[in-house]
Amino acid sequence: MSVHAAVAALTVLHAVPAAAVTARWSYEAAYDNVAEGAWYRDSNNETATLAWGESYVMMSLAAMFRVTHDPTYLDRLAWHADGVLAQRDDARGVADYRGISGACWRNTGYQPGGEPYCYAVHSGMIGFPLAELARLVAASGLGAETAYDGATFADKAATYAAAAAETVAAHDDEWRDAGYYVFRPDATFLEYAGQDQPLNQSNAMGLLLFALYDVTELAEYLDKATRLATRFREQLATSAAGGYVWNYWGGPYSAPGEDVSHAAINVALAVAAAEHGVVFDDTDLAKFATTFLADVYVTDRSFSDAVGGGGRDGGSYRPQVGRWLPLSRLRTGIYTAVRDLYDRDYGPETIGSGSLLLSWAYLAEYEPAHCAPFFYYVDWEDQGDWREATAHGANILTSPPDLGGRCMAPVGVDAPRRTSVQQWDGAAYHEVAVWEATGGETSRFVPYDSRWPFIYWNEGVLFQFDDAWAAGQGVRVREHPGLVAPQITSAPPAEGAIGVPLEYVATGTGDAPFWWSLARFPTGARIDAASGSLAYTPAGPGTYSFMVVLENDAGRAEQAFDVDVRGPEDAGAVPGTDAGAEPDAGPALDAGSGAEAATGGCGCRSAPVRAEGTPLLLLFLSALTRRRRSTTP
């Protein structure tokens, strides 16, 4: 199987189609907070700014592309990637402690004497989104699209893949076949010179290696990534709650284990390994999810600092729980725990950290469908817009659109005391959230957990509010108006003219906010996510195919249409006949054909790469050769 087919199959199999859009707009509101969207692009890594800041910004843009399929995010990512590559040692003309100006980003801030050293973990964190961009171009079929500087996405992707490969090679001397990296023995100014690196530091390179394998199909990358994942798995213990726990340095577990921030890198490696079908699987990922829900999550306001509990709500750790969100495809409660926290304490207007921007991107990527709550017919006093619980354990219900999938019920709530939210499985209740006293009306999400798909009444799954109820002081819940899915109401154009911009502003109905996108489109076409305004100017005759998508928090609608464009010599031709064009003379589509059925309506996730007929692997090899020649004295 070719590299492109392998990547496409992987993407379709493990895609988590988001069914809501609110968090996407939160991300957009946060993106320009730092340097008008430049963030740390033009910084060097002497104080680890690229490794622990810019890398997360780039990862966030990749996440936003994965959920929206909008080439705008690849273009932003390419702009950031070019800035980061300009700060690499061999581009800056600076050297490490050995006098080597290599394919890495040196740091001088951690060493006692300011000695310049390239850390493998920094290379992994910075290099991974470069390789991920190349993977996304290959998987999406957007190779013919043009980046901000006029180069095609295919050429950009080949350059980034080659650069990432050089960065991996820069640390080959630190690699050990037992599945880890070591600090260089001759770097005697380091406290741990010659010793194996902490798990997260080695495993950051594993993320880069998995992505490079997807792009190149070179077995050496998969082999190293698999060895890293195997060694990590060997360091895991099981907690009393059934979750995985481990130490920062590995070895026999000692509570409370690794902090949740560094641990998120190790979790990401396990997720990547499971996606590649090596070492870890969904059973393992469910155990990591248990770690989060049983040992990290305490309440909607409080989180443990480490994988095994320990201290709580440390400023360096609490907001980093957002980087555990890839596990939320298995447990919706992880999503709602992070979403409630971020909505309250880390709103988009406050974001000034790359890792928190990434968390909002993950909140967008993994946002499940919203499902409307409704009341059980007893134990509630009707107060107009609100109902107040008249007994302990008052119930609400919701009807998930798919009992085997994910959804969350938005509720307006006033909880006068700590409240446990529990889901009924037909025999017992299971806690899915814990809310502290709200101090008045606020918003929370009730997560539906597909492990307990029990329909109790009126086609709904049952939840109860378990608290120390007192008469006249029950939980109050606002009446929900229901959810209205989107519909596209505008009529698309059927004909166009060469060199004349198409005039189409799509409109629709349903609950706001909306998000417009294109699932099938000719190269260069764009649609404004907010307004639905389509931008495209046909360059030649032919039939141009489009699929416009409208999404909101309740669902999605699609509108497929063709636009016939005729040349002057075809003035008398009948529309719809391709104006006499040869079968292959029409515009190449970035996505579409039969791929929509496999990807929930978006062929761009699975279409083969179109790099003007040149496979990305060949472009990668060519780019790697050019880069090596350019850096050879």
Side-chain angles (χ1 to χ4, degrees), residues 229-240:
T230 299
R231 183 169 184 267
F232 174 44
R233 200 179 197 287
E234 292 170 349
Q235 313 302 310
L236 299 176
T238 302
S239 70

Side-chain angles (χ1 to χ4, degrees), residues 553-631:
D553 289 339
R556 62 183 277 146
E558 299 173 350
Q559 182 185 70
F561 60 94
D562 291 337
V563 175
D564 288 305
V565 176
R566 290 176 289 166
E569 71 278 8
D570 302 307
V574 178
T577 60
D578 285 347
E582 294 296 325
D584 294 328
L589 298 182
D590 280 320
S593 68
E596 293 87 23
T599 58
C602 183
C604 58
R605 296 273 297 183
S606 59
V609 66
R610 292 182 177 86
E612 299 179 349
T614 305
L616 183 58
L617 178 58
L618 295 181
L619 288 175
F620 158 76
L621 294 173
S622 176
L624 184 60
T625 299
R626 290 197 306 272
R627 291 185 65 84
R628 285 175 175 171
R629 286 174 178 170
S630 68
T631 57

Side-chain angles (χ1 to χ4, degrees), residues 2 30 42 57 66 89 146 199 204 245 274 291 355 413 466 516 547:
S2 73
D42 299 319
V57 175
R66 290 193 297 266
D89 287 8
T146 303
L199 292 173
V245 289
T291 300
S355 61
V413 62
D466 182 20
W516 294 93
M547 180 179 287

Side-chain angles (χ1 to χ4, degrees), residues 124-359:
M125 295 296 290
I126 300 168
F128 165 58
L130 301 180
E132 176 66 358
L133 191 159
R135 188 192 72 82
L136 291 172
V137 169
S140 67
L142 295 177
E145 291 287 335
T146 303
Y148 73 95
D149 60 355
T152 66
F153 279 179
D155 285 339
K156 303 291 281 187
T159 296
Y160 302 144
E166 293 168 346
T167 294
V168 168
H171 295 277
D172 280 349
D173 63 303
E174 297 174 273
W175 171 254
R176 299 295 181 267
D177 284 341
Y180 57 90
Y181 287 85
V182 299
F183 296 109
R184 290 190 173 97
D186 64 349
T188 55
F189 49 86
L190 297 178
E191 182 179 359
Y192 302 105
Q195 296 186 34
D196 55 317
Q197 298 178 15
L199 292 173
N200 74 86
Q201 295 197 22
S202 285
N203 289 343
M205 287 290 287
L207 299 175
L208 169 54
L209 290 162
F210 272 129
L212 267 178
Y213 170 72
D214 289 339
V215 175
T216 68
E217 247 186 0
L218 295 177
E220 64 184 273
Y221 297 133
L222 180 62
D223 178 66
K224 284 185 176 180
T226 301
R227 289 172 185 264
L228 285 162
T230 299
R231 183 169 184 267
F232 174 44
R233 200 179 197 287
E234 292 170 349
Q235 313 302 310
L236 299 176
T238 302
S239 70
Y244 281 141
V245 289
W246 63 95
N247 300 324
Y248 179 85
W249 287 93
Y253 176 66
S254 176
E258 186 170 40
D259 67 88
V260 295
S261 179
H262 291 102
I265 299 173
N266 292 318
V267 170
L269 180 78
V271 171
E275 289 177 340
H276 287 79
V278 297
V279 185
F280 292 97
D281 57 22
D282 275 1
T283 300
D284 295 301
L285 299 189
K287 291 184 177 181
F288 285 110
T290 297
T291 300
F292 185 96
L293 291 172
D295 295 318
V296 176
Y297 175 68
V298 181
T299 72
D300 59 343
R301 295 186 181 181
S302 186
F303 294 79
S304 297
D305 295 342
V307 297
R312 296 179 182 176
D313 304 319
S316 297
Y317 306 122
R318 185 172 182 259
Q320 300 305 322
V321 297
R323 290 164 47 221
W324 289 60
L325 279 165
L327 296 173
S328 67
R329 73 175 182 85
L330 295 158
R331 300 288 183 267
T332 311
I334 296 176
Y335 185 92
T336 56
V338 176
R339 180 64 177 270
D340 286 343
L341 174 69
Y342 267 65
D343 278 344
R344 184 185 60 251
D345 292 344
Y346 306 109
E349 69 282 355
T350 72
I351 299 303
S353 161
S355 61
L356 273 66
L357 184 70
L358 175 59
S359 293

